[in-house]
mmCIF file of all heavy atoms in Angstrom:
data_model
loop_
_atom_site.group_PDB
_atom_site.id
_atom_site.type_symbol
_atom_site.label_atom_id
_atom_site.label_comp_id
_atom_site.label_asym_id
_atom_site.label_seq_id
_atom_site.Cartn_x
_atom_site.Cartn_y
_atom_site.Cartn_z
ATOM 1 N N PRO A 1 -24.793 -5.671 6.260
ATOM 2 C CA PRO A 1 -24.252 -6.305 7.461
ATOM 3 C C PRO A 1 -22.739 -6.512 7.454
ATOM 4 O O PRO A 1 -22.144 -6.765 8.500
ATOM 5 C CB PRO A 1 -24.990 -7.654 7.504
ATOM 6 C CG PRO A 1 -26.246 -7.423 6.718
ATOM 7 C CD PRO A 1 -25.853 -6.486 5.632
ATOM 8 N N SER A 2 -22.112 -6.409 6.293
ATOM 9 C CA SER A 2 -20.654 -6.509 6.238
ATOM 10 C C SER A 2 -19.972 -5.255 6.782
ATOM 11 O O SER A 2 -18.790 -5.279 7.118
ATOM 12 C CB SER A 2 -20.187 -6.732 4.792
ATOM 13 O OG SER A 2 -20.662 -7.955 4.280
ATOM 14 N N LEU A 3 -20.732 -4.168 6.853
ATOM 15 C CA LEU A 3 -20.175 -2.871 7.223
ATOM 16 C C LEU A 3 -20.346 -2.600 8.717
ATOM 17 O O LEU A 3 -21.440 -2.721 9.258
ATOM 18 C CB LEU A 3 -20.874 -1.768 6.419
ATOM 19 C CG LEU A 3 -20.383 -0.339 6.628
ATOM 20 C CD1 LEU A 3 -18.949 -0.177 6.120
ATOM 21 C CD2 LEU A 3 -21.309 0.647 5.916
ATOM 22 N N TYR A 4 -19.252 -2.225 9.356
ATOM 23 C CA TYR A 4 -19.271 -1.896 10.785
ATOM 24 C C TYR A 4 -18.870 -0.438 10.984
ATOM 25 O O TYR A 4 -18.048 0.104 10.240
ATOM 26 C CB TYR A 4 -18.290 -2.784 11.557
ATOM 27 C CG TYR A 4 -18.676 -4.247 11.600
ATOM 28 C CD1 TYR A 4 -18.290 -5.114 10.579
ATOM 29 C CD2 TYR A 4 -19.434 -4.757 12.651
ATOM 30 C CE1 TYR A 4 -18.643 -6.455 10.614
ATOM 31 C CE2 TYR A 4 -19.794 -6.098 12.685
ATOM 32 C CZ TYR A 4 -19.398 -6.946 11.664
ATOM 33 O OH TYR A 4 -19.748 -8.274 11.702
ATOM 34 N N LEU A 5 -19.444 0.178 12.012
ATOM 35 C CA LEU A 5 -19.041 1.516 12.420
ATOM 36 C C LEU A 5 -18.098 1.372 13.601
ATOM 37 O O LEU A 5 -18.412 0.683 14.578
ATOM 38 C CB LEU A 5 -20.252 2.366 12.799
ATOM 39 C CG LEU A 5 -21.323 2.538 11.717
ATOM 40 C CD1 LEU A 5 -22.393 3.521 12.181
ATOM 41 C CD2 LEU A 5 -20.718 2.992 10.390
ATOM 42 N N ILE A 6 -16.938 2.027 13.521
ATOM 43 C CA ILE A 6 -15.896 1.861 14.527
ATOM 44 C C ILE A 6 -15.398 3.206 15.014
ATOM 45 O O ILE A 6 -15.236 4.142 14.226
ATOM 46 C CB ILE A 6 -14.693 1.073 13.949
ATOM 47 C CG1 ILE A 6 -15.158 -0.235 13.301
ATOM 48 C CG2 ILE A 6 -13.662 0.770 15.035
ATOM 49 C CD1 ILE A 6 -14.943 -0.277 11.825
ATOM 50 N N LYS A 7 -15.167 3.298 16.317
ATOM 51 C CA LYS A 7 -14.492 4.461 16.914
ATOM 52 C C LYS A 7 -13.085 4.006 17.301
ATOM 53 O O LYS A 7 -12.898 3.219 18.218
ATOM 54 C CB LYS A 7 -15.255 4.934 18.155
ATOM 55 C CG LYS A 7 -14.480 5.901 19.068
ATOM 56 C CD LYS A 7 -14.280 7.240 18.433
ATOM 57 C CE LYS A 7 -13.724 8.261 19.448
ATOM 58 N NZ LYS A 7 -12.370 7.893 19.947
ATOM 59 N N TYR A 8 -12.094 4.478 16.550
ATOM 60 C CA TYR A 8 -10.713 4.116 16.831
ATOM 61 C C TYR A 8 -10.119 5.027 17.898
ATOM 62 O O TYR A 8 -10.435 6.223 17.963
ATOM 63 C CB TYR A 8 -9.877 4.174 15.553
ATOM 64 C CG TYR A 8 -10.154 3.023 14.610
ATOM 65 C CD1 TYR A 8 -10.919 3.206 13.466
ATOM 66 C CD2 TYR A 8 -9.667 1.751 14.881
ATOM 67 C CE1 TYR A 8 -11.192 2.151 12.609
ATOM 68 C CE2 TYR A 8 -9.940 0.683 14.039
ATOM 69 C CZ TYR A 8 -10.699 0.892 12.909
ATOM 70 O OH TYR A 8 -10.971 -0.163 12.065
ATOM 71 N N ASP A 9 -9.275 4.459 18.733
ATOM 72 C CA ASP A 9 -8.666 5.205 19.825
ATOM 73 C C ASP A 9 -7.861 6.389 19.276
ATOM 74 O O ASP A 9 -7.042 6.238 18.364
ATOM 75 C CB ASP A 9 -7.731 4.310 20.637
ATOM 76 C CG ASP A 9 -8.461 3.140 21.290
ATOM 77 O OD1 ASP A 9 -9.700 3.100 21.222
ATOM 78 O OD2 ASP A 9 -7.764 2.275 21.872
ATOM 79 N N GLY A 10 -8.079 7.570 19.853
ATOM 80 C CA GLY A 10 -7.335 8.746 19.455
ATOM 81 C C GLY A 10 -7.854 9.445 18.220
ATOM 82 O O GLY A 10 -7.292 10.452 17.801
ATOM 83 N N PHE A 11 -8.899 8.896 17.609
ATOM 84 C CA PHE A 11 -9.487 9.487 16.414
ATOM 85 C C PHE A 11 -10.970 9.713 16.658
ATOM 86 O O PHE A 11 -11.678 8.800 17.071
ATOM 87 C CB PHE A 11 -9.284 8.576 15.199
ATOM 88 C CG PHE A 11 -7.852 8.428 14.802
ATOM 89 C CD1 PHE A 11 -7.030 7.524 15.459
ATOM 90 C CD2 PHE A 11 -7.312 9.201 13.794
ATOM 91 C CE1 PHE A 11 -5.697 7.385 15.112
ATOM 92 C CE2 PHE A 11 -5.977 9.071 13.439
ATOM 93 C CZ PHE A 11 -5.163 8.162 14.099
ATOM 94 N N ASP A 12 -11.438 10.916 16.411
ATOM 95 C CA ASP A 12 -12.799 11.274 16.798
ATOM 96 C C ASP A 12 -13.820 11.142 15.677
ATOM 97 O O ASP A 12 -15.001 11.394 15.891
ATOM 98 C CB ASP A 12 -12.820 12.699 17.365
ATOM 99 C CG ASP A 12 -12.065 12.775 18.687
ATOM 100 O OD1 ASP A 12 -12.063 11.779 19.433
ATOM 101 O OD2 ASP A 12 -11.462 13.810 18.958
ATOM 102 N N CYS A 13 -13.382 10.766 14.478
ATOM 103 C CA CYS A 13 -14.335 10.418 13.432
ATOM 104 C C CYS A 13 -14.841 8.997 13.659
ATOM 105 O O CYS A 13 -14.165 8.178 14.271
ATOM 106 C CB CYS A 13 -13.685 10.473 12.058
ATOM 107 S SG CYS A 13 -13.402 12.118 11.446
ATOM 108 N N VAL A 14 -16.015 8.737 13.144
ATOM 109 C CA VAL A 14 -16.536 7.371 13.106
ATOM 110 C C VAL A 14 -16.195 6.807 11.728
ATOM 111 O O VAL A 14 -16.411 7.470 10.710
ATOM 112 C CB VAL A 14 -18.059 7.353 13.322
ATOM 113 C CG1 VAL A 14 -18.612 5.944 13.175
ATOM 114 C CG2 VAL A 14 -18.395 7.921 14.696
ATOM 115 N N TYR A 15 -15.664 5.590 11.702
ATOM 116 C CA TYR A 15 -15.251 4.980 10.457
ATOM 117 C C TYR A 15 -16.186 3.835 10.071
ATOM 118 O O TYR A 15 -16.680 3.119 10.939
ATOM 119 C CB TYR A 15 -13.817 4.453 10.561
ATOM 120 C CG TYR A 15 -12.830 5.582 10.708
ATOM 121 C CD1 TYR A 15 -12.527 6.110 11.961
ATOM 122 C CD2 TYR A 15 -12.244 6.150 9.589
ATOM 123 C CE1 TYR A 15 -11.654 7.176 12.093
ATOM 124 C CE2 TYR A 15 -11.366 7.209 9.712
ATOM 125 C CZ TYR A 15 -11.070 7.728 10.959
ATOM 126 O OH TYR A 15 -10.219 8.780 11.085
ATOM 127 N N GLY A 16 -16.372 3.659 8.769
ATOM 128 C CA GLY A 16 -17.167 2.559 8.253
ATOM 129 C C GLY A 16 -16.277 1.613 7.468
ATOM 130 O O GLY A 16 -15.725 2.004 6.428
ATOM 131 N N LEU A 17 -16.112 0.390 7.955
ATOM 132 C CA LEU A 17 -15.249 -0.584 7.290
ATOM 133 C C LEU A 17 -15.916 -1.955 7.237
ATOM 134 O O LEU A 17 -16.602 -2.348 8.189
ATOM 135 C CB LEU A 17 -13.916 -0.727 8.034
ATOM 136 C CG LEU A 17 -12.916 0.421 7.896
ATOM 137 C CD1 LEU A 17 -11.757 0.211 8.851
ATOM 138 C CD2 LEU A 17 -12.417 0.534 6.461
ATOM 139 N N GLU A 18 -15.702 -2.654 6.157
ATOM 140 C CA GLU A 18 -16.112 -4.053 6.065
ATOM 141 C C GLU A 18 -14.968 -4.881 6.643
ATOM 142 O O GLU A 18 -14.089 -5.349 5.922
ATOM 143 C CB GLU A 18 -16.429 -4.415 4.617
ATOM 144 C CG GLU A 18 -17.644 -3.657 4.077
ATOM 145 C CD GLU A 18 -18.076 -4.150 2.705
ATOM 146 O OE1 GLU A 18 -17.252 -4.753 1.995
ATOM 147 O OE2 GLU A 18 -19.257 -3.950 2.351
ATOM 148 N N LEU A 19 -14.982 -5.040 7.952
ATOM 149 C CA LEU A 19 -13.836 -5.584 8.680
ATOM 150 C C LEU A 19 -13.427 -6.971 8.216
ATOM 151 O O LEU A 19 -12.248 -7.327 8.252
ATOM 152 C CB LEU A 19 -14.136 -5.609 10.179
ATOM 153 C CG LEU A 19 -14.191 -4.250 10.878
ATOM 154 C CD1 LEU A 19 -14.686 -4.411 12.311
ATOM 155 C CD2 LEU A 19 -12.828 -3.570 10.858
ATOM 156 N N HIS A 20 -14.398 -7.793 7.795
ATOM 157 C CA HIS A 20 -14.091 -9.164 7.394
ATOM 158 C C HIS A 20 -13.827 -9.311 5.897
ATOM 159 O O HIS A 20 -13.490 -10.408 5.438
ATOM 160 C CB HIS A 20 -15.243 -10.100 7.792
ATOM 161 C CG HIS A 20 -15.498 -10.137 9.265
ATOM 162 N ND1 HIS A 20 -14.523 -10.434 10.188
ATOM 163 C CD2 HIS A 20 -16.633 -9.914 9.982
ATOM 164 C CE1 HIS A 20 -15.040 -10.404 11.408
ATOM 165 N NE2 HIS A 20 -16.317 -10.078 11.300
ATOM 166 N N LYS A 21 -13.988 -8.231 5.138
ATOM 167 C CA LYS A 21 -13.806 -8.304 3.690
ATOM 168 C C LYS A 21 -12.690 -7.404 3.173
ATOM 169 O O LYS A 21 -12.104 -7.686 2.127
ATOM 170 C CB LYS A 21 -15.114 -7.929 2.974
ATOM 171 C CG LYS A 21 -16.231 -8.940 3.118
ATOM 172 C CD LYS A 21 -17.415 -8.521 2.258
ATOM 173 C CE LYS A 21 -18.522 -9.573 2.293
ATOM 174 N NZ LYS A 21 -19.655 -9.181 1.418
ATOM 175 N N ASP A 22 -12.429 -6.319 3.872
ATOM 176 C CA ASP A 22 -11.466 -5.338 3.393
ATOM 177 C C ASP A 22 -10.049 -5.912 3.468
ATOM 178 O O ASP A 22 -9.566 -6.270 4.536
ATOM 179 C CB ASP A 22 -11.564 -4.064 4.235
ATOM 180 C CG ASP A 22 -10.931 -2.865 3.556
ATOM 181 O OD1 ASP A 22 -9.817 -3.020 3.009
ATOM 182 O OD2 ASP A 22 -11.535 -1.784 3.587
ATOM 183 N N GLU A 23 -9.378 -5.988 2.326
ATOM 184 C CA GLU A 23 -8.042 -6.573 2.273
ATOM 185 C C GLU A 23 -7.012 -5.749 3.030
ATOM 186 O O GLU A 23 -5.932 -6.243 3.360
ATOM 187 C CB GLU A 23 -7.606 -6.739 0.806
ATOM 188 C CG GLU A 23 -8.416 -7.789 0.063
ATOM 189 C CD GLU A 23 -7.924 -7.964 -1.362
ATOM 190 O OE1 GLU A 23 -7.197 -7.063 -1.854
ATOM 191 O OE2 GLU A 23 -8.252 -8.988 -1.979
ATOM 192 N N ARG A 24 -7.335 -4.490 3.302
ATOM 193 C CA ARG A 24 -6.398 -3.647 4.052
ATOM 194 C C ARG A 24 -6.445 -3.934 5.545
ATOM 195 O O ARG A 24 -5.554 -3.531 6.291
ATOM 196 C CB ARG A 24 -6.716 -2.169 3.781
ATOM 197 C CG ARG A 24 -6.540 -1.787 2.317
ATOM 198 C CD ARG A 24 -7.194 -0.454 2.008
ATOM 199 N NE ARG A 24 -8.642 -0.501 2.178
ATOM 200 C CZ ARG A 24 -9.455 0.515 1.915
ATOM 201 N NH1 ARG A 24 -8.956 1.655 1.441
ATOM 202 N NH2 ARG A 24 -10.756 0.400 2.088
#
């Protein structure tokens, strides 16, 4: 549940990020 799938504007890959945990 920490991992989210995101579609960023202008980028056609789907990204997987732990939005609330990733220090970046």
Side-chain angles (χ1 to χ4, degrees):
S2 297
L3 182 66
Y4 293 87
L5 302 186
I6 308 114
K7 165 69 170 64
Y8 286 104
D9 298 353
F11 294 82
D12 293 328
C13 285
V14 176
Y15 293 86
L17 286 172
E18 295 188 338
L19 289 172
H20 299 305
K21 290 186 176 182
D22 198 316
E23 292 182 343
R24 297 165 296 183

